[in-house]
């Protein structure tokens, strides 16, 4: 399903009785498309947080006096501005830029491919995650590298790219459209519309619960430390 398909599905389905759906003709009024995209992005964040649908890794080079490594793009080499931040410890590449898409840090590996203990106060060599996108290294080693494996969110959709693919399992597409409808109706500010919106939210929740119960969403990830070789640490 791409963005255009999403508009068509909403027009014929959940939003068919609204003016923005052009009376169920298969399209969404142009002036309402940014609003729908905004709701879709919100729904995708929820779904990608609930289900581990995308995993990525990022390489950081430790700095001797820095213990908290913020996984945000202003610290990445491809977007580094020395007038904003003094260090670019995220080692990304122009063709693989870091995208500010961290939901949760899952695991951390050293340059030898050894998995480090995570959030284990009993382990002297453990690293920690005080925030979802912050890696805390109590004993950083200057110049050494760490590979951070994380749960990533869906790239933001844009109404200007209606051929853009929405990367979502088929079983979760109904949850996406139900959540968008919930947001549309609850923002109409009438008792009838709010009640309709709550009905769509119940459909969203029921779909999510059904997918969890049936375990029909699986994530297969092949973890490797090839990035260390690319950057020359091994």
């Amino acid at each position: 399903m791409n963005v255009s398909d999403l508009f068509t599905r909403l027009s014929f389905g959940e939003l068919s009785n609204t003016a923005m759906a052009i009376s169920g003709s298969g399209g969404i009024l142009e002036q309402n498309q940014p609003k729908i995209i905004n709701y879709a992005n919100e729904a995708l964040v929820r779904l990608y947080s609930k289900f581990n649908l995308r995993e990525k890794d990022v390489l950081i080079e430790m700095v001797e006096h820095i213990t908290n490594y913020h996984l945000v793009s202003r610290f990445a080499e491809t977007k580094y501005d020395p007038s904003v931040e003094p260090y670019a410890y995220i080692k990304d590449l122009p063709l693989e830029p870091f995208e500010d898409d961290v939901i949760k840090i899952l695991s951390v590996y050293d340059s030898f491919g050894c998995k480090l203990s995570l959030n284990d106060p009993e382990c002297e060599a453990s690293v920690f995650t005080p925030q979802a996108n912050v890696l805390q290294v109590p004993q950083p080693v200057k110049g050494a590298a760490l590979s951070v494996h994380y749960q990533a969110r869906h790239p933001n959709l844009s109404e200007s790219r209606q051929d853009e693919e929405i990367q979502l399992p088929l079983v979760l597409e109904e949850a996406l459209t139900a959540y968008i409808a919930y947001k549309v109706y609850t923002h109409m500010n009438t008792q009838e519309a709010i009640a309709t919106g709550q009905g769509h939210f119940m459909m969203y929740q029921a779909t999510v619960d059904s997918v969890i119960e049936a375990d029909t969403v699986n994530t297969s990830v092949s973890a490797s430390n090839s990035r260390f070789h690319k950057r020359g640490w091994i």
Side-chain angles (χ1 to χ4, degrees), residues 61-120:
E61 180 180 358
M62 289 183 282
V63 180
E64 187 175 18
H65 66 279
I66 296 179
T67 56
N68 287 339
Y69 295 87
H70 297 257
L71 303 184
V72 293
S73 60
R74 70 176 185 270
F75 296 103
E77 285 191 338
T78 57
K79 297 180 181 178
Y80 177 55
D81 182 351
S83 67
V84 177
E85 297 295 346
Y87 298 97
Y89 46 71
I90 296 177
K91 303 301 171 180
D92 58 351
L93 295 171
L95 296 179
E96 298 178 53
F98 180 69
E99 298 176 336
D100 280 320
D101 56 357
V102 177
I103 291 177
K104 178 183 179 181
I105 294 172
L106 301 174
S107 56
V108 182
Y109 296 83
D110 65 18
S111 57
F112 300 102
C114 297
K115 187 176 182 179
L116 303 181
S117 293
L118 188 63
N119 295 319
D120 182 0

Side-chain angles (χ1 to χ4, degrees), residues 53 60 62 65 67 128 164 166 190 193 219 229:
L53 302 174
I60 65 171
M62 289 183 282
H65 66 279
T67 56
F128 300 88
E164 186 175 7
I166 300 174
T190 68
T219 303
H229 296 273

Side-chain angles (χ1 to χ4, degrees), residues 35 115 143 148 168 174 201 233:
K35 181 184 295 185
K115 187 176 182 179
V148 183
L168 199 65
E174 187 172 15
F201 186 78
W233 266 276

Side-chain angles (χ1 to χ4, degrees), residues 1 44 48 53-54 154-155 157 165-169:
M1 179 170 65
L44 288 168
Y48 269 67
L53 302 174
R54 190 179 189 213
H154 192 286
L157 302 175
E165 195 68 24
I166 300 174
Q167 302 162 27
L168 199 65

